[in-house]
Amino acid sequence: MDEVVVVRTGSGPEVLLVHGGASPRTTWGGLSSLADRWTLAYVHRRGYPPSPAPRTGRQDYEVDALDLAPLLVGRPHVVAHSYGVLGTLAAVASAPDSVRSLTLIEPPLAFLVPDDPDVARLERLGDAVLTHGMDTDPAELREFLRVAGAPVDDGPLPDGVITGVRRAHGGRLPGESRPRLDLIRRAGVPVLVASGNHTAALERICDALAAALDAERAVHPGAGHFVAAAPGFAERLDTFWRAHEN
């Protein structure tokens, strides 16, 4: 089988959850209580078991978009995090009427904020990690991992973090992505853009993305990059989905 695996739990209307560089469990654990009302459909992107390895041997948001397209047939709500936003936007832009709502959490879309030194630095750090993997300058690697929410201190990197860096190594750079935000906005897709107020560059990217999509904006601190685990965020999602359950 070459298809990505989707693990479903709960009952009610479907919510498709698209993780980024971290696993679905790490990314979405804070939303488990919502399974009482919603069917939570956890997509496992390529390279994340039990899904198969990436077709090209690397993480690629364009392949993600192809994988996601058939999962939109039932018109789910869609929530995407970090790198997972890139493929999600591409898939939704190709068929904007196929989703009930779209929630986007801290995506790496630096092009939305040109000439901002903080945003440019964050992009450079991310590109370095994708390009060089564990050979990235150690200080820059740790700086990026902390922004990305990895459990990093001054000691040796945990095995799980090393595995994540190696998985990301060689991935398609986010800066190559130019999603057709105009098509999503023109279709009137209800959009929520969320962030965790832990990194100024990501706040500015999310502000710009919300403006481009005429989206609602939510800021939920307390869990860093893993906004889905932040206090009050699950309740915010439930309210947003209920408002657009049609």
Side-chain angles (χ1 to χ4, degrees), residues 77-104:
H77 298 279
V78 179
V79 185
H81 180 252
S82 196
Y83 193 92
V85 171
L86 305 179
T88 298
L89 285 173
V92 173
S94 296
D97 293 334
S98 64
V99 299
R100 295 177 191 238
S101 74
L102 184 59
T103 300
L104 309 171

Side-chain angles (χ1 to χ4, degrees), residues 28-186:
W28 306 120
L31 303 184
S32 59
S33 64
L34 296 176
D36 291 342
R37 173 175 170 78
W38 308 92
T39 297
L40 303 180
Y42 299 91
V43 178
H44 290 65
R45 295 172 51 240
R46 292 182 183 275
Y48 294 80
S51 285
R55 291 170 177 163
T56 60
R58 68 171 187 165
Q59 294 294 312
D60 189 334
Y61 56 80
E62 291 187 352
V63 175
D64 289 344
L66 296 175
D67 289 331
L68 292 170
L71 302 178
L72 304 182
V73 172
R75 245 188 119 236
H77 298 279
V78 179
V79 185
H81 180 252
S82 196
Y83 193 92
V85 171
L86 305 179
T88 298
L89 285 173
V92 173
S94 296
D97 293 334
S98 64
V99 299
R100 295 177 191 238
S101 74
L102 184 59
T103 300
L104 309 171
I105 305 172
E106 297 200 349
L109 292 170
F111 81 93
L112 293 172
V113 193
D115 304 319
D116 184 294
D118 294 330
V119 172
R121 175 169 177 74
L122 180 59
E123 182 177 42
R124 285 196 302 271
L125 290 173
D127 287 355
V129 174
L130 289 180
T131 302
H132 304 295
M134 288 302 298
D135 291 328
T136 305
D137 173 83
E140 293 188 347
L141 176 60
R142 286 176 184 272
E143 182 179 353
F144 178 77
L145 289 172
R146 289 187 177 106
V147 172
V152 173
D153 55 25
D154 294 331
L157 295 179
D159 289 344
V161 172
I162 293 174
T163 297
V165 172
R166 289 175 173 160
R167 181 191 288 125
H169 187 190
R172 185 181 291 273
L173 299 182
E176 299 176 19
S177 175
R178 290 294 185 274
R180 291 295 306 274
L181 303 178
D182 59 315
L183 298 180
I184 297 172
R185 177 170 180 158
R186 191 182 308 157

Side-chain angles (χ1 to χ4, degrees), residues 183-195:
L183 298 180
I184 297 172
R185 177 170 180 158
R186 191 182 308 157
V189 176
V191 182
L192 174 67
V193 176
S195 60

Side-chain angles (χ1 to χ4, degrees), residues 210-235:
L213 291 173
D214 192 23
E216 296 181 35
R217 184 75 170 89
V219 179
H220 286 264
H225 188 46
F226 294 109
V227 181
F233 186 67
E235 293 78 7

